[in-house]
Structures are given as structure tokens and as C-alpha cells.
Short mmCIF file of all heavy atoms in Angstrom, two decimals:
data_model
loop_
_atom_site.label_atom_id
_atom_site.label_comp_id
_atom_site.label_asym_id
_atom_site.label_seq_id
_atom_site.Cartn_x
_atom_site.Cartn_y
_atom_site.Cartn_z
N MET A 1 37.62 6.02 -4.64
CA MET A 1 36.34 6.47 -4.02
C MET A 1 35.28 5.40 -4.24
O MET A 1 35.22 4.77 -5.34
CB MET A 1 35.89 7.76 -4.72
CG MET A 1 34.83 8.51 -3.94
SD MET A 1 34.52 10.09 -4.74
CE MET A 1 32.81 9.93 -5.11
N ALA A 2 34.48 5.18 -3.28
CA ALA A 2 33.47 4.10 -3.33
C ALA A 2 32.44 4.49 -4.37
O ALA A 2 32.13 5.65 -4.59
CB ALA A 2 32.80 3.92 -1.97
N LYS A 3 31.95 3.48 -5.06
CA LYS A 3 30.90 3.74 -6.05
C LYS A 3 29.62 4.16 -5.36
O LYS A 3 29.33 3.71 -4.22
CB LYS A 3 30.61 2.42 -6.83
CG LYS A 3 31.67 2.06 -7.80
CD LYS A 3 31.33 0.69 -8.35
CE LYS A 3 31.83 0.42 -9.76
NZ LYS A 3 31.45 -0.92 -10.23
N VAL A 4 28.85 4.96 -6.03
CA VAL A 4 27.58 5.46 -5.48
C VAL A 4 26.45 4.84 -6.22
O VAL A 4 26.43 4.88 -7.50
CB VAL A 4 27.51 7.02 -5.56
CG1 VAL A 4 26.18 7.54 -5.14
CG2 VAL A 4 28.65 7.63 -4.75
N VAL A 5 25.52 4.25 -5.52
CA VAL A 5 24.39 3.60 -6.20
C VAL A 5 23.17 4.52 -6.10
O VAL A 5 22.95 5.24 -5.12
CB VAL A 5 24.05 2.25 -5.52
CG1 VAL A 5 23.60 2.42 -4.07
CG2 VAL A 5 23.03 1.47 -6.30
N ILE A 6 22.42 4.56 -7.23
CA ILE A 6 21.24 5.41 -7.32
C ILE A 6 20.10 4.60 -7.90
O ILE A 6 20.28 3.58 -8.48
CB ILE A 6 21.47 6.67 -8.21
CG1 ILE A 6 21.98 6.27 -9.62
CG2 ILE A 6 22.52 7.60 -7.53
CD1 ILE A 6 22.05 7.43 -10.58
N ILE A 7 18.90 5.15 -7.73
CA ILE A 7 17.65 4.51 -8.27
C ILE A 7 17.06 5.46 -9.33
O ILE A 7 16.93 6.65 -9.09
CB ILE A 7 16.60 4.31 -7.17
CG1 ILE A 7 17.16 3.58 -5.98
CG2 ILE A 7 15.35 3.65 -7.73
CD1 ILE A 7 17.24 2.07 -6.11
N ASP A 8 16.71 4.89 -10.49
CA ASP A 8 15.95 5.64 -11.46
C ASP A 8 14.48 5.47 -11.08
O ASP A 8 13.83 4.46 -11.40
CB ASP A 8 16.20 5.13 -12.87
CG ASP A 8 15.40 5.86 -13.91
OD1 ASP A 8 14.51 6.65 -13.58
OD2 ASP A 8 15.65 5.64 -15.12
N ARG A 9 13.96 6.43 -10.34
CA ARG A 9 12.61 6.28 -9.77
C ARG A 9 11.54 6.08 -10.83
O ARG A 9 10.53 5.43 -10.56
CB ARG A 9 12.26 7.52 -8.90
CG ARG A 9 13.16 7.67 -7.72
CD ARG A 9 12.81 8.95 -6.93
NE ARG A 9 11.42 9.01 -6.54
CZ ARG A 9 10.97 8.46 -5.41
NH1 ARG A 9 11.76 7.82 -4.60
NH2 ARG A 9 9.68 8.58 -5.13
N ASP A 10 11.72 6.66 -12.01
CA ASP A 10 10.67 6.53 -13.03
C ASP A 10 10.51 5.07 -13.51
O ASP A 10 9.48 4.71 -14.07
CB ASP A 10 11.04 7.41 -14.28
CG ASP A 10 10.93 8.88 -13.89
OD1 ASP A 10 10.27 9.19 -12.94
OD2 ASP A 10 11.51 9.70 -14.63
N GLU A 11 11.55 4.29 -13.31
CA GLU A 11 11.52 2.92 -13.86
C GLU A 11 11.20 1.84 -12.78
O GLU A 11 11.06 0.68 -13.10
CB GLU A 11 12.86 2.58 -14.54
CG GLU A 11 13.19 3.48 -15.73
CD GLU A 11 12.15 3.37 -16.84
OE1 GLU A 11 11.60 2.25 -17.02
OE2 GLU A 11 11.90 4.35 -17.50
N CYS A 12 11.24 2.25 -11.52
CA CYS A 12 11.03 1.29 -10.41
C CYS A 12 9.64 0.72 -10.46
O CYS A 12 8.65 1.48 -10.58
CB CYS A 12 11.26 1.98 -9.05
SG CYS A 12 11.00 0.88 -7.63
N THR A 13 9.54 -0.60 -10.39
CA THR A 13 8.24 -1.28 -10.47
C THR A 13 7.61 -1.51 -9.09
O THR A 13 6.55 -2.16 -9.01
CB THR A 13 8.35 -2.68 -11.18
OG1 THR A 13 9.14 -3.51 -10.30
CG2 THR A 13 9.05 -2.52 -12.54
N SER A 14 8.24 -1.02 -8.08
CA SER A 14 7.74 -1.17 -6.66
C SER A 14 7.68 -2.63 -6.21
O SER A 14 6.87 -2.95 -5.35
CB SER A 14 6.38 -0.53 -6.54
OG SER A 14 6.40 0.83 -6.90
N CYS A 15 8.54 -3.45 -6.78
CA CYS A 15 8.46 -4.90 -6.45
C CYS A 15 8.99 -5.16 -5.03
O CYS A 15 8.62 -6.14 -4.39
CB CYS A 15 9.21 -5.73 -7.47
SG CYS A 15 11.03 -5.56 -7.35
N GLY A 16 9.85 -4.28 -4.55
CA GLY A 16 10.37 -4.43 -3.19
C GLY A 16 11.50 -5.40 -3.03
O GLY A 16 12.01 -5.63 -1.92
N GLN A 17 11.94 -6.01 -4.12
CA GLN A 17 12.95 -7.06 -4.05
C GLN A 17 14.28 -6.54 -3.42
O GLN A 17 14.88 -7.20 -2.58
CB GLN A 17 13.22 -7.56 -5.44
CG GLN A 17 14.24 -8.65 -5.57
CD GLN A 17 14.27 -9.14 -6.99
OE1 GLN A 17 13.46 -9.98 -7.39
NE2 GLN A 17 15.19 -8.68 -7.82
N CYS A 18 14.70 -5.34 -3.84
CA CYS A 18 15.99 -4.83 -3.36
C CYS A 18 15.93 -4.55 -1.87
O CYS A 18 16.87 -4.83 -1.12
CB CYS A 18 16.38 -3.57 -4.12
SG CYS A 18 15.13 -2.26 -4.09
N ALA A 19 14.79 -4.02 -1.42
CA ALA A 19 14.67 -3.72 0.03
C ALA A 19 14.54 -5.00 0.86
O ALA A 19 15.01 -5.03 2.01
CB ALA A 19 13.44 -2.82 0.24
N ASP A 20 13.94 -6.04 0.29
CA ASP A 20 13.86 -7.33 0.99
C ASP A 20 15.23 -7.95 1.09
O ASP A 20 15.61 -8.50 2.13
CB ASP A 20 12.95 -8.31 0.23
CG ASP A 20 11.49 -7.97 0.43
OD1 ASP A 20 11.18 -7.21 1.34
OD2 ASP A 20 10.63 -8.47 -0.34
N ASP A 21 15.99 -7.90 -0.01
CA ASP A 21 17.27 -8.59 -0.04
C ASP A 21 18.37 -7.81 0.76
O ASP A 21 19.20 -8.43 1.42
CB ASP A 21 17.77 -8.72 -1.50
CG ASP A 21 16.97 -9.76 -2.25
OD1 ASP A 21 16.23 -10.50 -1.64
OD2 ASP A 21 17.09 -9.74 -3.51
N LEU A 22 18.38 -6.51 0.64
CA LEU A 22 19.42 -5.68 1.25
C LEU A 22 18.78 -4.51 2.02
O LEU A 22 18.90 -3.36 1.57
CB LEU A 22 20.39 -5.15 0.18
CG LEU A 22 21.42 -6.03 -0.44
CD1 LEU A 22 22.30 -5.21 -1.38
CD2 LEU A 22 22.27 -6.71 0.64
N PRO A 23 18.12 -4.79 3.13
CA PRO A 23 17.43 -3.73 3.84
C PRO A 23 18.33 -2.66 4.41
O PRO A 23 17.83 -1.56 4.79
CB PRO A 23 16.64 -4.48 4.95
CG PRO A 23 17.36 -5.75 5.09
CD PRO A 23 17.95 -6.10 3.74
N ASP A 24 19.63 -2.95 4.54
CA ASP A 24 20.54 -1.90 5.01
C ASP A 24 20.90 -0.90 3.91
O ASP A 24 21.46 0.14 4.21
CB ASP A 24 21.86 -2.56 5.49
CG ASP A 24 21.65 -3.38 6.78
OD1 ASP A 24 20.61 -3.18 7.43
OD2 ASP A 24 22.50 -4.22 7.06
N VAL A 25 20.61 -1.29 2.67
CA VAL A 25 21.00 -0.42 1.56
C VAL A 25 19.77 0.18 0.86
O VAL A 25 19.81 1.38 0.46
CB VAL A 25 21.81 -1.21 0.51
CG1 VAL A 25 22.17 -0.38 -0.66
CG2 VAL A 25 23.02 -1.85 1.16
N PHE A 26 18.69 -0.57 0.73
CA PHE A 26 17.52 -0.11 0.00
C PHE A 26 16.31 -0.11 0.92
O PHE A 26 16.17 -0.98 1.78
CB PHE A 26 17.25 -0.97 -1.24
CG PHE A 26 18.37 -1.02 -2.21
CD1 PHE A 26 19.19 -2.17 -2.30
CD2 PHE A 26 18.63 0.05 -3.04
CE1 PHE A 26 20.25 -2.19 -3.19
CE2 PHE A 26 19.68 0.02 -3.95
CZ PHE A 26 20.48 -1.10 -4.05
N ALA A 27 15.40 0.82 0.67
CA ALA A 27 14.13 0.88 1.40
C ALA A 27 13.06 1.33 0.43
O ALA A 27 13.40 1.80 -0.67
CB ALA A 27 14.23 1.82 2.57
N MET A 28 11.80 1.20 0.83
CA MET A 28 10.70 1.68 0.00
C MET A 28 10.18 2.99 0.66
O MET A 28 9.96 3.01 1.85
CB MET A 28 9.59 0.66 -0.10
CG MET A 28 10.06 -0.72 -0.58
SD MET A 28 11.01 -0.70 -2.12
CE MET A 28 9.72 -0.34 -3.31
N ASP A 29 9.93 3.99 -0.16
CA ASP A 29 9.44 5.26 0.42
C ASP A 29 7.91 5.27 0.47
O ASP A 29 7.26 4.28 0.21
CB ASP A 29 10.03 6.45 -0.36
CG ASP A 29 9.41 6.60 -1.76
OD1 ASP A 29 8.48 5.87 -2.11
OD2 ASP A 29 9.93 7.48 -2.52
N ASP A 30 7.34 6.40 0.84
CA ASP A 30 5.92 6.51 1.02
C ASP A 30 5.17 6.23 -0.28
O ASP A 30 3.95 5.93 -0.23
CB ASP A 30 5.54 7.86 1.60
CG ASP A 30 6.02 8.03 3.02
OD1 ASP A 30 6.33 7.02 3.69
OD2 ASP A 30 6.08 9.16 3.50
N ASP A 31 5.79 6.47 -1.39
CA ASP A 31 5.16 6.22 -2.68
C ASP A 31 5.45 4.80 -3.18
O ASP A 31 5.11 4.48 -4.34
CB ASP A 31 5.68 7.21 -3.74
CG ASP A 31 5.32 8.64 -3.35
OD1 ASP A 31 4.17 8.84 -2.85
OD2 ASP A 31 6.10 9.55 -3.59
N ASP A 32 6.05 3.97 -2.33
CA ASP A 32 6.43 2.58 -2.69
C ASP A 32 7.42 2.49 -3.81
O ASP A 32 7.34 1.60 -4.67
CB ASP A 32 5.14 1.76 -3.02
CG ASP A 32 5.24 0.34 -2.52
OD1 ASP A 32 6.06 0.09 -1.60
OD2 ASP A 32 4.55 -0.53 -3.05
N ILE A 33 8.29 3.47 -3.83
CA ILE A 33 9.41 3.50 -4.79
C ILE A 33 10.67 3.26 -3.99
O ILE A 33 10.80 3.80 -2.89
CB ILE A 33 9.47 4.84 -5.57
CG1 ILE A 33 8.14 5.13 -6.31
CG2 ILE A 33 10.66 4.89 -6.50
CD1 ILE A 33 7.87 4.20 -7.44
N ALA A 34 11.61 2.54 -4.57
CA ALA A 34 12.86 2.24 -3.85
C ALA A 34 13.70 3.51 -3.69
O ALA A 34 13.75 4.39 -4.54
CB ALA A 34 13.66 1.19 -4.61
N ILE A 35 14.34 3.59 -2.51
CA ILE A 35 15.33 4.63 -2.24
C ILE A 35 16.61 3.97 -1.69
O ILE A 35 16.58 2.84 -1.22
CB ILE A 35 14.80 5.64 -1.19
CG1 ILE A 35 14.37 4.95 0.09
CG2 ILE A 35 13.67 6.45 -1.80
CD1 ILE A 35 14.04 5.88 1.19
N VAL A 36 17.71 4.69 -1.78
CA VAL A 36 18.96 4.21 -1.24
C VAL A 36 19.08 4.80 0.16
O VAL A 36 18.87 6.02 0.35
CB VAL A 36 20.16 4.66 -2.10
CG1 VAL A 36 21.45 4.25 -1.49
CG2 VAL A 36 20.02 4.08 -3.50
N VAL A 37 19.40 3.93 1.15
CA VAL A 37 19.51 4.38 2.52
C VAL A 37 20.78 5.24 2.65
O VAL A 37 21.89 4.83 2.24
CB VAL A 37 19.63 3.14 3.44
CG1 VAL A 37 19.91 3.58 4.90
CG2 VAL A 37 18.34 2.31 3.38
N GLU A 38 20.56 6.41 3.21
CA GLU A 38 21.68 7.35 3.34
C GLU A 38 22.72 6.76 4.30
O GLU A 38 22.39 6.21 5.35
CB GLU A 38 21.16 8.66 3.95
CG GLU A 38 22.00 9.87 3.57
CD GLU A 38 21.34 11.14 3.97
OE1 GLU A 38 20.11 11.27 3.77
OE2 GLU A 38 22.00 12.02 4.52
N GLY A 39 24.02 6.84 3.91
CA GLY A 39 25.09 6.40 4.80
C GLY A 39 25.19 4.90 4.89
O GLY A 39 25.86 4.39 5.78
N HIS A 40 24.61 4.17 3.92
CA HIS A 40 24.67 2.70 3.99
C HIS A 40 26.13 2.23 3.83
O HIS A 40 26.97 2.96 3.29
CB HIS A 40 23.79 2.09 2.89
CG HIS A 40 24.38 2.19 1.53
ND1 HIS A 40 25.34 1.35 1.04
CD2 HIS A 40 24.16 3.10 0.54
CE1 HIS A 40 25.70 1.74 -0.16
NE2 HIS A 40 25.00 2.77 -0.50
N SER A 41 26.37 0.99 4.22
CA SER A 41 27.71 0.45 4.07
C SER A 41 27.63 -0.87 3.30
O SER A 41 28.41 -1.82 3.62
CB SER A 41 28.41 0.28 5.42
OG SER A 41 27.59 -0.53 6.26
N GLY A 42 26.72 -0.97 2.35
CA GLY A 42 26.57 -2.20 1.59
C GLY A 42 27.78 -2.45 0.70
O GLY A 42 28.42 -1.48 0.23
N SER A 43 28.13 -3.70 0.48
CA SER A 43 29.29 -4.03 -0.38
C SER A 43 28.92 -3.88 -1.84
O SER A 43 27.77 -4.09 -2.24
CB SER A 43 29.73 -5.45 -0.11
OG SER A 43 28.94 -6.39 -0.76
N GLU A 44 29.93 -3.56 -2.63
CA GLU A 44 29.68 -3.38 -4.07
C GLU A 44 29.21 -4.69 -4.69
O GLU A 44 28.39 -4.66 -5.62
CB GLU A 44 30.97 -2.88 -4.73
CG GLU A 44 31.26 -1.43 -4.44
CD GLU A 44 32.46 -0.91 -5.23
OE1 GLU A 44 32.96 -1.63 -6.11
OE2 GLU A 44 32.91 0.22 -4.92
N ASP A 45 29.69 -5.81 -4.22
CA ASP A 45 29.29 -7.11 -4.78
C ASP A 45 27.80 -7.35 -4.50
O ASP A 45 27.07 -7.79 -5.40
CB ASP A 45 30.12 -8.25 -4.18
CG ASP A 45 31.52 -8.30 -4.74
OD1 ASP A 45 31.83 -7.56 -5.73
OD2 ASP A 45 32.35 -9.08 -4.22
N ASP A 46 27.37 -7.09 -3.29
CA ASP A 46 25.95 -7.28 -2.93
C ASP A 46 25.06 -6.37 -3.74
O ASP A 46 24.02 -6.76 -4.23
CB ASP A 46 25.73 -7.04 -1.45
CG ASP A 46 26.24 -8.17 -0.53
OD1 ASP A 46 26.57 -9.23 -1.09
OD2 ASP A 46 26.32 -7.94 0.64
N ILE A 47 25.48 -5.10 -3.88
CA ILE A 47 24.68 -4.14 -4.65
C ILE A 47 24.69 -4.54 -6.11
O ILE A 47 23.62 -4.46 -6.77
CB ILE A 47 25.28 -2.74 -4.46
CG1 ILE A 47 25.06 -2.31 -2.98
CG2 ILE A 47 24.60 -1.76 -5.43
CD1 ILE A 47 25.78 -1.04 -2.60
N GLN A 48 25.79 -5.01 -6.63
CA GLN A 48 25.80 -5.41 -8.06
C GLN A 48 24.80 -6.59 -8.28
O GLN A 48 24.16 -6.66 -9.30
CB GLN A 48 27.20 -5.85 -8.46
CG GLN A 48 27.35 -6.19 -9.91
CD GLN A 48 27.03 -5.02 -10.83
OE1 GLN A 48 27.63 -3.96 -10.69
NE2 GLN A 48 26.10 -5.17 -11.80
N GLU A 49 24.70 -7.49 -7.30
CA GLU A 49 23.71 -8.56 -7.46
C GLU A 49 22.31 -7.99 -7.58
O GLU A 49 21.51 -8.52 -8.35
CB GLU A 49 23.81 -9.52 -6.24
CG GLU A 49 24.87 -10.56 -6.33
CD GLU A 49 24.82 -11.58 -5.17
OE1 GLU A 49 23.71 -11.86 -4.72
OE2 GLU A 49 25.90 -12.02 -4.80
N GLU A 50 21.99 -6.98 -6.79
CA GLU A 50 20.67 -6.39 -6.88
C GLU A 50 20.50 -5.64 -8.18
O GLU A 50 19.40 -5.61 -8.72
CB GLU A 50 20.45 -5.43 -5.69
CG GLU A 50 20.38 -6.17 -4.33
CD GLU A 50 19.36 -7.30 -4.33
OE1 GLU A 50 18.23 -7.10 -4.83
OE2 GLU A 50 19.73 -8.36 -3.81
N ILE A 51 21.53 -5.01 -8.66
CA ILE A 51 21.48 -4.34 -9.98
C ILE A 51 21.11 -5.38 -11.03
O ILE A 51 20.24 -5.14 -11.86
CB ILE A 51 22.82 -3.64 -10.28
CG1 ILE A 51 22.98 -2.41 -9.39
CG2 ILE A 51 22.89 -3.30 -11.76
CD1 ILE A 51 24.37 -1.74 -9.51
N ASP A 52 21.78 -6.49 -10.96
CA ASP A 52 21.57 -7.54 -12.01
C ASP A 52 20.17 -8.19 -11.87
O ASP A 52 19.64 -8.62 -12.89
CB ASP A 52 22.66 -8.62 -11.84
CG ASP A 52 24.03 -8.13 -12.19
OD1 ASP A 52 24.13 -7.08 -12.86
OD2 ASP A 52 25.03 -8.77 -11.77
N ALA A 53 19.63 -8.18 -10.66
CA ALA A 53 18.34 -8.86 -10.42
C ALA A 53 17.12 -7.94 -10.55
O ALA A 53 16.02 -8.39 -10.69
CB ALA A 53 18.33 -9.51 -9.03
N CYS A 54 17.36 -6.63 -10.55
CA CYS A 54 16.25 -5.68 -10.47
C CYS A 54 15.42 -5.78 -11.78
O CYS A 54 15.96 -5.56 -12.88
CB CYS A 54 16.81 -4.24 -10.41
SG CYS A 54 15.56 -2.96 -10.64
N PRO A 55 14.10 -6.07 -11.65
CA PRO A 55 13.30 -6.28 -12.86
C PRO A 55 13.06 -4.97 -13.63
O PRO A 55 12.77 -5.00 -14.82
CB PRO A 55 11.96 -6.81 -12.29
CG PRO A 55 11.96 -6.37 -10.85
CD PRO A 55 13.39 -6.32 -10.40
N GLY A 56 13.27 -3.82 -12.98
CA GLY A 56 13.05 -2.54 -13.69
C GLY A 56 14.36 -2.02 -14.29
O GLY A 56 14.36 -1.00 -14.96
N GLU A 57 15.47 -2.76 -14.07
CA GLU A 57 16.78 -2.34 -14.49
C GLU A 57 17.01 -0.85 -14.11
O GLU A 57 17.55 -0.10 -14.88
CB GLU A 57 16.96 -2.53 -16.02
CG GLU A 57 16.85 -3.99 -16.41
CD GLU A 57 17.11 -4.19 -17.90
OE1 GLU A 57 17.45 -3.24 -18.60
OE2 GLU A 57 16.99 -5.40 -18.33
N CYS A 58 16.64 -0.53 -12.88
CA CYS A 58 16.63 0.87 -12.46
C CYS A 58 17.53 1.13 -11.27
O CYS A 58 17.48 2.21 -10.73
CB CYS A 58 15.25 1.35 -12.20
SG CYS A 58 14.36 0.31 -10.97
N ILE A 59 18.37 0.12 -10.88
CA ILE A 59 19.40 0.38 -9.90
C ILE A 59 20.68 0.53 -10.65
O ILE A 59 21.04 -0.28 -11.51
CB ILE A 59 19.53 -0.79 -8.89
CG1 ILE A 59 18.18 -1.14 -8.27
CG2 ILE A 59 20.54 -0.36 -7.79
CD1 ILE A 59 18.27 -2.37 -7.33
N LEU A 60 21.32 1.68 -10.46
CA LEU A 60 22.43 2.10 -11.34
C LEU A 60 23.62 2.58 -10.48
O LEU A 60 23.39 3.14 -9.42
CB LEU A 60 21.99 3.23 -12.25
CG LEU A 60 20.70 3.06 -13.03
CD1 LEU A 60 20.21 4.41 -13.55
CD2 LEU A 60 20.90 2.07 -14.16
N TRP A 61 24.82 2.38 -11.02
CA TRP A 61 25.97 3.09 -10.45
C TRP A 61 25.99 4.51 -11.03
O TRP A 61 25.90 4.69 -12.25
CB TRP A 61 27.26 2.36 -10.80
CG TRP A 61 27.41 1.02 -10.21
CD1 TRP A 61 27.55 -0.16 -10.86
CD2 TRP A 61 27.50 0.69 -8.82
NE1 TRP A 61 27.67 -1.22 -9.97
CE2 TRP A 61 27.67 -0.70 -8.73
CE3 TRP A 61 27.47 1.43 -7.62
CZ2 TRP A 61 27.81 -1.36 -7.49
CZ3 TRP A 61 27.59 0.79 -6.39
CH2 TRP A 61 27.74 -0.61 -6.35
N LYS A 62 26.19 5.43 -10.14
CA LYS A 62 26.30 6.84 -10.63
C LYS A 62 27.61 7.04 -11.39
O LYS A 62 28.62 6.52 -10.98
CB LYS A 62 26.25 7.75 -9.41
CG LYS A 62 26.12 9.24 -9.75
CD LYS A 62 25.93 10.03 -8.47
CE LYS A 62 25.86 11.51 -8.73
NZ LYS A 62 25.78 12.29 -7.55
N ASP A 63 27.52 7.73 -12.50
CA ASP A 63 28.73 8.00 -13.29
C ASP A 63 29.71 8.88 -12.52
O ASP A 63 29.31 9.84 -11.84
CB ASP A 63 28.36 8.73 -14.60
CG ASP A 63 27.71 7.74 -15.56
OD1 ASP A 63 27.93 6.50 -15.45
OD2 ASP A 63 26.94 8.20 -16.43
S1 LIG B 101 14.34 -4.27 -7.27
FE1 LIG B 101 14.28 -2.56 -8.76
S2 LIG B 101 12.13 -2.46 -9.39
FE2 LIG B 101 12.15 -3.63 -7.53
S3 LIG B 101 11.83 -2.14 -5.85
FE3 LIG B 101 14.05 -2.34 -6.14
S4 LIG B 101 14.58 -0.70 -7.59
FE4 LIG B 101 12.37 -0.98 -7.73
#
């Protein structure tokens, strides 16, 4: 089963980096907090890069 990526909204710094880098996977909501685009088809490698780069350490693989 494909891994599921989630955002810890409490820790998001609203930097927008993930949405800039992978707009098919991440977007910013009305509160300027990152969200995961429903039904995205982003690769695990690309998402892992964003996990590693996220300054809030708030992009996570769901257990
Ligand atoms: S890279 Fe991290 S801190 Fe920045 S907007 Fe995305 S989830 Fe939030």
C-alpha cells in the first residue's frame, strides 16, 4: 500500500516551500497552512525530499 503523507498543522511555519516545490502534492489553505492535495500522485522520493527539507519538520508519513 502506498505511504500516506500528512501535515502536522500545529507545527507548519507557513513558509510555502512544499507547495512551491511540489504543487501537485501540497497546497496552502486559507489560513496559510500546508495541506496535502487529495488524490495526488506524488512520488515517495519527491515527498521524502520535502519531508527532509521542511523547516517545521511537520510533513510526516502516516503510521
Ligand atoms: S515546508 Fe513545512 S513548514 Fe513550510 S509550508 Fe510546507 S509543511 Fe509548512
